[in-house]
PDB file of all heavy atoms in Angstrom:
ATOM      1  N   GLY A  75     -58.994 -12.782  56.513  1.00 79.00           N
ATOM      2  CA  GLY A  75     -58.640 -11.365  56.430  1.00 79.00           C
ATOM      3  C   GLY A  75     -59.745 -10.414  56.876  1.00 79.00           C
ATOM      4  O   GLY A  75     -59.484  -9.234  57.054  1.00 79.00           O
ATOM      5  N   ASN A  76     -60.950 -10.940  57.090  1.00 79.00           N
ATOM      6  CA  ASN A  76     -62.030 -10.108  57.587  1.00 79.00           C
ATOM      7  C   ASN A  76     -62.002 -10.078  59.102  1.00 79.00           C
ATOM      8  O   ASN A  76     -61.471 -10.988  59.748  1.00 79.00           O
ATOM      9  CB  ASN A  76     -63.355 -10.610  57.115  1.00 79.00           C
ATOM     10  CG  ASN A  76     -63.655 -10.262  55.659  1.00 79.00           C
ATOM     11  OD1 ASN A  76     -62.864  -9.542  55.051  1.00 79.00           O
ATOM     12  ND2 ASN A  76     -64.802 -10.730  55.129  1.00 79.00           N
ATOM     13  N   TYR A  77     -62.602  -9.013  59.708  1.00 82.00           N
ATOM     14  CA  TYR A  77     -62.678  -8.888  61.126  1.00 82.00           C
ATOM     15  C   TYR A  77     -64.069  -9.229  61.616  1.00 82.00           C
ATOM     16  O   TYR A  77     -65.047  -8.809  61.028  1.00 82.00           O
ATOM     17  CB  TYR A  77     -62.287  -7.454  61.578  1.00 82.00           C
ATOM     18  CG  TYR A  77     -60.811  -7.173  61.555  1.00 82.00           C
ATOM     19  CD1 TYR A  77     -60.201  -6.651  60.399  1.00 82.00           C
ATOM     20  CD2 TYR A  77     -60.040  -7.481  62.662  1.00 82.00           C
ATOM     21  CE1 TYR A  77     -58.826  -6.367  60.400  1.00 82.00           C
ATOM     22  CE2 TYR A  77     -58.676  -7.228  62.662  1.00 82.00           C
ATOM     23  CZ  TYR A  77     -58.082  -6.680  61.520  1.00 82.00           C
ATOM     24  OH  TYR A  77     -56.728  -6.465  61.540  1.00 82.00           O
ATOM     25  N   ILE A  78     -64.128  -9.956  62.736  1.00 88.00           N
ATOM     26  CA  ILE A  78     -65.355 -10.160  63.481  1.00 88.00           C
ATOM     27  C   ILE A  78     -65.350  -9.211  64.653  1.00 88.00           C
ATOM     28  O   ILE A  78     -64.432  -9.242  65.490  1.00 88.00           O
ATOM     29  CB  ILE A  78     -65.512 -11.623  63.943  1.00 88.00           C
ATOM     30  CG1 ILE A  78     -65.594 -12.549  62.747  1.00 88.00           C
ATOM     31  CG2 ILE A  78     -66.723 -11.789  64.843  1.00 88.00           C
ATOM     32  CD1 ILE A  78     -65.638 -14.005  63.114  1.00 88.00           C
ATOM     33  N   THR A  79     -66.336  -8.318  64.700  1.00 86.00           N
ATOM     34  CA  THR A  79     -66.368  -7.324  65.786  1.00 86.00           C
ATOM     35  C   THR A  79     -67.173  -7.814  66.938  1.00 86.00           C
ATOM     36  O   THR A  79     -68.284  -8.355  66.780  1.00 86.00           O
ATOM     37  CB  THR A  79     -67.023  -5.988  65.242  1.00 86.00           C
ATOM     38  OG1 THR A  79     -66.260  -5.526  64.118  1.00 86.00           O
ATOM     39  CG2 THR A  79     -67.028  -4.948  66.320  1.00 86.00           C
ATOM     40  N   LEU A  80     -66.621  -7.652  68.137  1.00 89.00           N
ATOM     41  CA  LEU A  80     -67.260  -8.125  69.356  1.00 89.00           C
ATOM     42  C   LEU A  80     -67.793  -6.898  70.124  1.00 89.00           C
ATOM     43  O   LEU A  80     -67.041  -5.956  70.361  1.00 89.00           O
ATOM     44  CB  LEU A  80     -66.253  -8.888  70.235  1.00 89.00           C
ATOM     45  CG  LEU A  80     -65.461  -9.993  69.554  1.00 89.00           C
ATOM     46  CD1 LEU A  80     -64.415 -10.559  70.449  1.00 89.00           C
ATOM     47  CD2 LEU A  80     -66.430 -11.103  69.070  1.00 89.00           C
ATOM     48  N   GLU A  81     -69.066  -6.955  70.479  1.00 89.00           N
ATOM     49  CA  GLU A  81     -69.667  -5.807  71.154  1.00 89.00           C
ATOM     50  C   GLU A  81     -70.563  -6.256  72.291  1.00 89.00           C
ATOM     51  O   GLU A  81     -71.174  -7.358  72.250  1.00 89.00           O
ATOM     52  CB  GLU A  81     -70.491  -4.966  70.161  1.00 89.00           C
ATOM     53  CG  GLU A  81     -69.647  -4.266  69.115  1.00 89.00           C
ATOM     54  CD  GLU A  81     -70.499  -3.385  68.176  1.00 89.00           C
ATOM     55  OE1 GLU A  81     -71.734  -3.441  68.304  1.00 89.00           O
ATOM     56  OE2 GLU A  81     -69.920  -2.654  67.401  1.00 89.00           O
ATOM     57  N   PHE A  82     -70.714  -5.326  73.286  1.00 91.00           N
ATOM     58  CA  PHE A  82     -71.783  -5.468  74.281  1.00 91.00           C
ATOM     59  C   PHE A  82     -72.946  -4.591  73.850  1.00 91.00           C
ATOM     60  O   PHE A  82     -72.765  -3.473  73.348  1.00 91.00           O
ATOM     61  CB  PHE A  82     -71.305  -4.960  75.641  1.00 91.00           C
ATOM     62  CG  PHE A  82     -70.213  -5.754  76.303  1.00 91.00           C
ATOM     63  CD1 PHE A  82     -68.886  -5.375  76.144  1.00 91.00           C
ATOM     64  CD2 PHE A  82     -70.516  -6.855  77.051  1.00 91.00           C
ATOM     65  CE1 PHE A  82     -67.885  -6.101  76.736  1.00 91.00           C
ATOM     66  CE2 PHE A  82     -69.518  -7.592  77.693  1.00 91.00           C
ATOM     67  CZ  PHE A  82     -68.175  -7.238  77.511  1.00 91.00           C
ATOM     68  N   GLU A  83     -74.144  -5.078  74.080  1.00 89.00           N
ATOM     69  CA  GLU A  83     -75.329  -4.266  73.778  1.00 89.00           C
ATOM     70  C   GLU A  83     -76.280  -4.301  74.981  1.00 89.00           C
ATOM     71  O   GLU A  83     -76.383  -5.325  75.634  1.00 89.00           O
ATOM     72  CB  GLU A  83     -76.063  -4.772  72.539  1.00 89.00           C
ATOM     73  CG  GLU A  83     -75.372  -4.449  71.199  1.00 89.00           C
ATOM     74  CD  GLU A  83     -76.215  -4.864  70.017  1.00 89.00           C
ATOM     75  OE1 GLU A  83     -77.270  -5.499  70.223  1.00 89.00           O
ATOM     76  OE2 GLU A  83     -75.796  -4.581  68.865  1.00 89.00           O
ATOM     77  N   ASN A  84     -76.997  -3.179  75.169  1.00 88.00           N
ATOM     78  CA  ASN A  84     -78.054  -3.114  76.149  1.00 88.00           C
ATOM     79  C   ASN A  84     -77.704  -3.634  77.499  1.00 88.00           C
ATOM     80  O   ASN A  84     -78.472  -4.359  78.167  1.00 88.00           O
ATOM     81  CB  ASN A  84     -79.299  -3.902  75.618  1.00 88.00           C
ATOM     82  CG  ASN A  84     -79.755  -3.445  74.284  1.00 88.00           C
ATOM     83  OD1 ASN A  84     -79.828  -2.259  74.018  1.00 88.00           O
ATOM     84  ND2 ASN A  84     -80.063  -4.354  73.370  1.00 88.00           N
ATOM     85  N   VAL A  85     -76.480  -3.277  77.939  1.00 90.00           N
ATOM     86  CA  VAL A  85     -76.041  -3.736  79.265  1.00 90.00           C
ATOM     87  C   VAL A  85     -76.689  -2.936  80.392  1.00 90.00           C
ATOM     88  O   VAL A  85     -76.799  -1.709  80.336  1.00 90.00           O
ATOM     89  CB  VAL A  85     -74.498  -3.636  79.362  1.00 90.00           C
ATOM     90  CG1 VAL A  85     -74.005  -3.941  80.788  1.00 90.00           C
ATOM     91  CG2 VAL A  85     -73.855  -4.616  78.383  1.00 90.00           C
ATOM     92  N   ARG A  86     -77.141  -3.644  81.377  1.00 91.00           N
ATOM     93  CA  ARG A  86     -77.697  -3.030  82.567  1.00 91.00           C
ATOM     94  C   ARG A  86     -76.995  -3.597  83.781  1.00 91.00           C
ATOM     95  O   ARG A  86     -76.860  -4.846  83.936  1.00 91.00           O
ATOM     96  CB  ARG A  86     -79.216  -3.312  82.642  1.00 91.00           C
ATOM     97  CG  ARG A  86     -79.894  -2.590  83.794  1.00 91.00           C
ATOM     98  CD  ARG A  86     -81.362  -2.889  83.816  1.00 91.00           C
ATOM     99  NE  ARG A  86     -82.003  -2.301  85.031  1.00 91.00           N
ATOM    100  CZ  ARG A  86     -83.171  -2.719  85.492  1.00 91.00           C
ATOM    101  NH1 ARG A  86     -83.840  -3.717  84.912  1.00 91.00           N
ATOM    102  NH2 ARG A  86     -83.666  -2.140  86.580  1.00 91.00           N
ATOM    103  N   ILE A  87     -76.556  -2.733  84.687  1.00 92.00           N
ATOM    104  CA  ILE A  87     -75.940  -3.142  85.940  1.00 92.00           C
ATOM    105  C   ILE A  87     -76.744  -2.566  87.081  1.00 92.00           C
ATOM    106  O   ILE A  87     -77.109  -1.378  87.046  1.00 92.00           O
ATOM    107  CB  ILE A  87     -74.462  -2.659  86.051  1.00 92.00           C
ATOM    108  CG1 ILE A  87     -73.639  -3.197  84.865  1.00 92.00           C
ATOM    109  CG2 ILE A  87     -73.808  -3.100  87.368  1.00 92.00           C
ATOM    110  CD1 ILE A  87     -72.200  -2.729  84.864  1.00 92.00           C
ATOM    111  N   VAL A  88     -77.088  -3.405  88.085  1.00 91.00           N
ATOM    112  CA  VAL A  88     -77.943  -2.933  89.181  1.00 91.00           C
ATOM    113  C   VAL A  88     -77.289  -3.327  90.510  1.00 91.00           C
ATOM    114  O   VAL A  88     -76.471  -4.219  90.591  1.00 91.00           O
ATOM    115  CB  VAL A  88     -79.350  -3.566  89.119  1.00 91.00           C
ATOM    116  CG1 VAL A  88     -80.044  -3.168  87.845  1.00 91.00           C
ATOM    117  CG2 VAL A  88     -79.323  -5.079  89.270  1.00 91.00           C
ATOM    118  N   ASN A  89     -77.661  -2.619  91.567  1.00 90.00           N
ATOM    119  CA  ASN A  89     -77.314  -3.025  92.915  1.00 90.00           C
ATOM    120  C   ASN A  89     -78.437  -3.867  93.482  1.00 90.00           C
ATOM    121  O   ASN A  89     -79.462  -4.118  92.779  1.00 90.00           O
ATOM    122  CB  ASN A  89     -76.983  -1.848  93.818  1.00 90.00           C
ATOM    123  CG  ASN A  89     -78.147  -0.878  94.000  1.00 90.00           C
ATOM    124  OD1 ASN A  89     -79.292  -1.258  93.784  1.00 90.00           O
ATOM    125  ND2 ASN A  89     -77.819   0.339  94.386  1.00 90.00           N
ATOM    126  N   TYR A  90     -78.305  -4.268  94.747  1.00 90.00           N
ATOM    127  CA  TYR A  90     -79.328  -5.172  95.336  1.00 90.00           C
ATOM    128  C   TYR A  90     -80.731  -4.580  95.357  1.00 90.00           C
ATOM    129  O   TYR A  90     -81.710  -5.257  95.215  1.00 90.00           O
ATOM    130  CB  TYR A  90     -78.889  -5.584  96.743  1.00 90.00           C
ATOM    131  CG  TYR A  90     -80.011  -6.242  97.529  1.00 90.00           C
ATOM    132  CD1 TYR A  90     -80.545  -7.456  97.079  1.00 90.00           C
ATOM    133  CD2 TYR A  90     -80.563  -5.629  98.644  1.00 90.00           C
ATOM    134  CE1 TYR A  90     -81.598  -8.062  97.764  1.00 90.00           C
ATOM    135  CE2 TYR A  90     -81.607  -6.230  99.322  1.00 90.00           C
ATOM    136  CZ  TYR A  90     -82.124  -7.438  98.876  1.00 90.00           C
ATOM    137  OH  TYR A  90     -83.160  -8.011  99.562  1.00 90.00           O
ATOM    138  N   TYR A  91     -80.809  -3.245  95.502  1.00 86.00           N
ATOM    139  CA  TYR A  91     -82.087  -2.602  95.589  1.00 86.00           C
ATOM    140  C   TYR A  91     -82.711  -2.416  94.203  1.00 86.00           C
ATOM    141  O   TYR A  91     -83.839  -1.909  94.135  1.00 86.00           O
ATOM    142  CB  TYR A  91     -81.943  -1.266  96.287  1.00 86.00           C
ATOM    143  CG  TYR A  91     -81.434  -1.422  97.718  1.00 86.00           C
ATOM    144  CD1 TYR A  91     -80.086  -1.190  98.032  1.00 86.00           C
ATOM    145  CD2 TYR A  91     -82.275  -1.845  98.729  1.00 86.00           C
ATOM    146  CE1 TYR A  91     -79.624  -1.353  99.303  1.00 86.00           C
ATOM    147  CE2 TYR A  91     -81.813  -2.003 100.023  1.00 86.00           C
ATOM    148  CZ  TYR A  91     -80.459  -1.744 100.323  1.00 86.00           C
ATOM    149  OH  TYR A  91     -80.003  -1.933 101.584  1.00 86.00           O
ATOM    150  N   GLY A  92     -82.009  -2.780  93.141  1.00 86.00           N
ATOM    151  CA  GLY A  92     -82.541  -2.617  91.810  1.00 86.00           C
ATOM    152  C   GLY A  92     -82.199  -1.292  91.158  1.00 86.00           C
ATOM    153  O   GLY A  92     -82.603  -0.994  90.069  1.00 86.00           O
ATOM    154  N   ASP A  93     -81.410  -0.446  91.865  1.00 84.00           N
ATOM    155  CA  ASP A  93     -80.973   0.820  91.322  1.00 84.00           C
ATOM    156  C   ASP A  93     -80.027   0.567  90.114  1.00 84.00           C
ATOM    157  O   ASP A  93     -79.146  -0.317  90.200  1.00 84.00           O
ATOM    158  CB  ASP A  93     -80.161   1.617  92.342  1.00 84.00           C
ATOM    159  CG  ASP A  93     -81.053   2.342  93.346  1.00 84.00           C
ATOM    160  OD1 ASP A  93     -82.103   2.830  92.928  1.00 84.00           O
ATOM    161  OD2 ASP A  93     -80.699   2.403  94.523  1.00 84.00           O
ATOM    162  N   ASP A  94     -80.207   1.284  89.066  1.00 84.00           N
ATOM    163  CA  ASP A  94     -79.332   1.181  87.906  1.00 84.00           C
ATOM    164  C   ASP A  94     -78.012   1.881  88.208  1.00 84.00           C
ATOM    165  O   ASP A  94     -77.998   3.011  88.668  1.00 84.00           O
ATOM    166  CB  ASP A  94     -79.969   1.766  86.650  1.00 84.00           C
ATOM    167  CG  ASP A  94     -80.941   0.803  86.016  1.00 84.00           C
ATOM    168  OD1 ASP A  94     -80.503  -0.105  85.296  1.00 84.00           O
ATOM    169  OD2 ASP A  94     -82.159   0.974  86.255  1.00 84.00           O
ATOM    170  N   ILE A  95     -76.907   1.225  87.883  1.00 85.00           N
ATOM    171  CA  ILE A  95     -75.569   1.788  87.993  1.00 85.00           C
ATOM    172  C   ILE A  95     -75.141   2.174  86.554  1.00 85.00           C
ATOM    173  O   ILE A  95     -75.116   1.266  85.713  1.00 85.00           O
ATOM    174  CB  ILE A  95     -74.587   0.834  88.673  1.00 85.00           C
ATOM    175  CG1 ILE A  95     -75.019   0.563  90.090  1.00 85.00           C
ATOM    176  CG2 ILE A  95     -73.149   1.380  88.582  1.00 85.00           C
ATOM    177  CD1 ILE A  95     -74.233  -0.535  90.772  1.00 85.00           C
ATOM    178  N   THR A  96     -74.847   3.384  86.328  1.00 78.00           N
ATOM    179  CA  THR A  96     -74.598   3.868  84.930  1.00 78.00           C
ATOM    180  C   THR A  96     -73.173   4.300  84.690  1.00 78.00           C
ATOM    181  O   THR A  96     -72.850   4.653  83.604  1.00 78.00           O
ATOM    182  CB  THR A  96     -75.561   5.025  84.620  1.00 78.00           C
ATOM    183  OG1 THR A  96     -75.320   6.107  85.506  1.00 78.00           O
ATOM    184  CG2 THR A  96     -76.999   4.586  84.676  1.00 78.00           C
ATOM    185  N   ASN A  97     -72.332   4.285  85.734  1.00 81.00           N
ATOM    186  CA  ASN A  97     -70.976   4.788  85.543  1.00 81.00           C
ATOM    187  C   ASN A  97     -70.017   3.656  85.070  1.00 81.00           C
ATOM    188  O   ASN A  97     -69.148   3.182  85.775  1.00 81.00           O
ATOM    189  CB  ASN A  97     -70.486   5.381  86.870  1.00 81.00           C
ATOM    190  CG  ASN A  97     -70.577   4.414  88.020  1.00 81.00           C
ATOM    191  OD1 ASN A  97     -71.247   3.415  87.966  1.00 81.00           O
ATOM    192  ND2 ASN A  97     -69.812   4.696  89.103  1.00 81.00           N
ATOM    193  N   PHE A  98     -70.241   3.275  83.792  1.00 84.00           N
ATOM    194  CA  PHE A  98     -69.368   2.262  83.202  1.00 84.00           C
ATOM    195  C   PHE A  98     -69.315   2.485  81.722  1.00 84.00           C
ATOM    196  O   PHE A  98     -70.174   3.129  81.131  1.00 84.00           O
ATOM    197  CB  PHE A  98     -69.822   0.835  83.504  1.00 84.00           C
ATOM    198  CG  PHE A  98     -71.190   0.523  82.982  1.00 84.00           C
ATOM    199  CD1 PHE A  98     -71.381  -0.032  81.732  1.00 84.00           C
ATOM    200  CD2 PHE A  98     -72.337   0.761  83.711  1.00 84.00           C
ATOM    201  CE1 PHE A  98     -72.587  -0.335  81.197  1.00 84.00           C
ATOM    202  CE2 PHE A  98     -73.612   0.460  83.246  1.00 84.00           C
ATOM    203  CZ  PHE A  98     -73.733  -0.118  81.961  1.00 84.00           C
ATOM    204  N   ASN A  99     -68.263   1.974  81.079  1.00 83.00           N
ATOM    205  CA  ASN A  99     -68.118   2.034  79.669  1.00 83.00           C
ATOM    206  C   ASN A  99     -68.178   0.661  79.036  1.00 83.00           C
ATOM    207  O   ASN A  99     -67.749  -0.335  79.646  1.00 83.00           O
ATOM    208  CB  ASN A  99     -66.762   2.682  79.255  1.00 83.00           C
ATOM    209  CG  ASN A  99     -66.657   4.105  79.757  1.00 83.00           C
ATOM    210  OD1 ASN A  99     -67.613   4.857  79.674  1.00 83.00           O
ATOM    211  ND2 ASN A  99     -65.529   4.459  80.297  1.00 83.00           N
ATOM    212  N   LEU A 100     -68.628   0.564  77.798  1.00 83.00           N
ATOM    213  CA  LEU A 100     -68.663  -0.688  77.056  1.00 83.00           C
ATOM    214  C   LEU A 100     -67.665  -0.582  75.906  1.00 83.00           C
ATOM    215  O   LEU A 100     -67.799   0.269  75.021  1.00 83.00           O
ATOM    216  CB  LEU A 100     -70.072  -0.953  76.525  1.00 83.00           C
ATOM    217  CG  LEU A 100     -71.218  -1.009  77.521  1.00 83.00           C
ATOM    218  CD1 LEU A 100     -72.541  -1.158  76.833  1.00 83.00           C
ATOM    219  CD2 LEU A 100     -70.966  -2.096  78.530  1.00 83.00           C
ATOM    220  N   LEU A 101     -66.625  -1.426  75.920  1.00 82.00           N
ATOM    221  CA  LEU A 101     -65.597  -1.381  74.919  1.00 82.00           C
ATOM    222  C   LEU A 101     -65.753  -2.554  73.913  1.00 82.00           C
ATOM    223  O   LEU A 101     -65.917  -3.681  74.316  1.00 82.00           O
ATOM    224  CB  LEU A 101     -64.215  -1.464  75.551  1.00 82.00           C
ATOM    225  CG  LEU A 101     -63.894  -0.398  76.633  1.00 82.00           C
ATOM    226  CD1 LEU A 101     -62.475  -0.521  77.060  1.00 82.00           C
ATOM    227  CD2 LEU A 101     -64.207   1.006  76.124  1.00 82.00           C
ATOM    228  N   SER A 102     -65.729  -2.237  72.651  1.00 80.00           N
ATOM    229  CA  SER A 102     -65.768  -3.283  71.613  1.00 80.00           C
ATOM    230  C   SER A 102     -64.331  -3.701  71.257  1.00 80.00           C
ATOM    231  O   SER A 102     -63.382  -3.043  71.610  1.00 80.00           O
ATOM    232  CB  SER A 102     -66.524  -2.758  70.350  1.00 80.00           C
ATOM    233  OG  SER A 102     -65.837  -1.657  69.835  1.00 80.00           O
ATOM    234  N   ASP A 103     -64.259  -4.813  70.573  1.00 79.00           N
ATOM    235  CA  ASP A 103     -62.952  -5.311  70.064  1.00 79.00           C
ATOM    236  C   ASP A 103     -63.188  -6.131  68.840  1.00 79.00           C
ATOM    237  O   ASP A 103     -64.363  -6.289  68.372  1.00 79.00           O
ATOM    238  CB  ASP A 103     -62.248  -6.110  71.167  1.00 79.00           C
ATOM    239  CG  ASP A 103     -60.717  -5.868  71.158  1.00 79.00           C
ATOM    240  OD1 ASP A 103     -60.145  -5.860  70.044  1.00 79.00           O
ATOM    241  OD2 ASP A 103     -60.132  -5.722  72.228  1.00 79.00           O
ATOM    242  N   SER A 104     -62.157  -6.697  68.270  1.00 80.00           N
ATOM    243  CA  SER A 104     -62.309  -7.522  67.078  1.00 80.00           C
ATOM    244  C   SER A 104     -61.265  -8.573  66.974  1.00 80.00           C
ATOM    245  O   SER A 104     -60.176  -8.481  67.635  1.00 80.00           O
ATOM    246  CB  SER A 104     -62.238  -6.654  65.826  1.00 80.00           C
ATOM    247  OG  SER A 104     -61.027  -5.990  65.720  1.00 80.00           O
ATOM    248  N   VAL A 105     -61.555  -9.646  66.213  1.00 85.00           N
ATOM    249  CA  VAL A 105     -60.591 -10.697  65.911  1.00 85.00           C
ATOM    250  C   VAL A 105     -60.488 -10.848  64.416  1.00 85.00           C
ATOM    251  O   VAL A 105     -61.475 -10.692  63.687  1.00 85.00           O
ATOM    252  CB  VAL A 105     -60.957 -12.052  66.583  1.00 85.00           C
ATOM    253  CG1 VAL A 105     -60.888 -11.948  68.102  1.00 85.00           C
ATOM    254  CG2 VAL A 105     -62.377 -12.454  66.182  1.00 85.00           C
ATOM    255  N   LEU A 106     -59.284 -11.153  63.946  1.00 83.00           N
ATOM    256  CA  LEU A 106     -59.005 -11.304  62.532  1.00 83.00           C
ATOM    257  C   LEU A 106     -59.143 -12.760  62.133  1.00 83.00           C
ATOM    258  O   LEU A 106     -58.530 -13.648  62.744  1.00 83.00           O
ATOM    259  CB  LEU A 106     -57.575 -10.841  62.228  1.00 83.00           C
ATOM    260  CG  LEU A 106     -57.101 -10.932  60.772  1.00 83.00           C
ATOM    261  CD1 LEU A 106     -57.914 -10.054  59.871  1.00 83.00           C
ATOM    262  CD2 LEU A 106     -55.617 -10.653  60.685  1.00 83.00           C
ATOM    263  N   VAL A 107     -59.969 -13.025  61.126  1.00 86.00           N
ATOM    264  CA  VAL A 107     -60.198 -14.385  60.678  1.00 86.00           C
ATOM    265  C   VAL A 107     -58.914 -14.825  59.894  1.00 86.00           C
ATOM    266  O   VAL A 107     -58.440 -14.131  58.969  1.00 86.00           O
ATOM    267  CB  VAL A 107     -61.434 -14.496  59.774  1.00 86.00           C
ATOM    268  CG1 VAL A 107     -61.590 -15.909  59.242  1.00 86.00           C
ATOM    269  CG2 VAL A 107     -62.687 -14.058  60.552  1.00 86.00           C
ATOM    270  N   GLN A 108     -58.407 -15.974  60.277  1.00 84.00           N
ATOM    271  CA  GLN A 108     -57.170 -16.545  59.673  1.00 84.00           C
ATOM    272  C   GLN A 108     -57.425 -17.878  59.040  1.00 84.00           C
ATOM    273  O   GLN A 108     -58.474 -18.508  59.256  1.00 84.00           O
ATOM    274  CB  GLN A 108     -56.045 -16.635  60.703  1.00 84.00           C
ATOM    275  CG  GLN A 108     -55.779 -15.304  61.430  1.00 84.00           C
ATOM    276  CD  GLN A 108     -54.740 -15.483  62.532  1.00 84.00           C
ATOM    277  OE1 GLN A 108     -53.668 -16.024  62.260  1.00 84.00           O
ATOM    278  NE2 GLN A 108     -55.071 -15.028  63.701  1.00 84.00           N
ATOM    279  N   ALA A 109     -56.449 -18.370  58.272  1.00 77.00           N
ATOM    280  CA  ALA A 109     -56.585 -19.667  57.615  1.00 77.00           C
ATOM    281  C   ALA A 109     -56.563 -20.773  58.649  1.00 77.00           C
ATOM    282  O   ALA A 109     -56.081 -20.595  59.781  1.00 77.00           O
ATOM    283  CB  ALA A 109     -55.421 -19.833  56.651  1.00 77.00           C
ATOM    284  N   PRO A 110     -57.118 -21.975  58.336  1.00 71.00           N
ATOM    285  CA  PRO A 110     -57.130 -23.069  59.269  1.00 71.00           C
ATOM    286  C   PRO A 110     -55.692 -23.418  59.698  1.00 71.00           C
ATOM    287  O   PRO A 110     -54.740 -23.239  58.941  1.00 71.00           O
ATOM    288  CB  PRO A 110     -57.760 -24.189  58.475  1.00 71.00           C
ATOM    289  CG  PRO A 110     -58.564 -23.545  57.434  1.00 71.00           C
ATOM    290  CD  PRO A 110     -57.811 -22.286  57.076  1.00 71.00           C
ATOM    291  N   VAL A 111     -55.596 -23.959  60.890  1.00 58.00           N
ATOM    292  CA  VAL A 111     -54.258 -24.316  61.427  1.00 58.00           C
ATOM    293  C   VAL A 111     -53.828 -25.679  60.924  1.00 58.00           C
ATOM    294  O   VAL A 111     -54.616 -26.606  60.823  1.00 58.00           O
ATOM    295  CB  VAL A 111     -54.354 -24.362  62.994  1.00 58.00           C
ATOM    296  CG1 VAL A 111     -53.057 -24.861  63.578  1.00 58.00           C
ATOM    297  CG2 VAL A 111     -54.644 -23.006  63.520  1.00 58.00           C
ATOM    298  N   ALA A 112     -52.533 -25.800  60.582  1.00 42.00           N
ATOM    299  CA  ALA A 112     -51.889 -27.094  60.250  1.00 42.00           C
ATOM    300  C   ALA A 112     -52.685 -27.930  59.262  1.00 42.00           C
ATOM    301  O   ALA A 112     -53.154 -29.003  59.580  1.00 42.00           O
ATOM    302  CB  ALA A 112     -51.628 -27.864  61.523  1.00 42.00           C
TER     303      ALA A 112
END
């Protein structure tokens, strides 16, 4: 019944010249812990 939250941290995107590309978003999500299967 608890949620495990998934996140990106400290993401860096660069082009070949090493320039930082900053026009992006980082989206988190989560999964619900359930009882063992079968």
Side-chain angles (χ1 to χ4, degrees):
N76 283 357
Y77 282 93
I78 296 175
T79 302
L80 309 174
E81 293 183 352
F82 294 95
E83 288 185 353
N84 303 319
V85 171
R86 185 181 174 200
I87 302 179
V88 300
N89 62 20
Y90 167 63
Y91 299 100
D93 281 322
D94 281 280
I95 296 171
T96 59
N97 55 342
F98 62 91
N99 297 318
L100 304 176
L101 304 185
S102 61
D103 217 317
S104 61
V105 293
L106 177 66
V107 179
Q108 304 176 51
V111 174

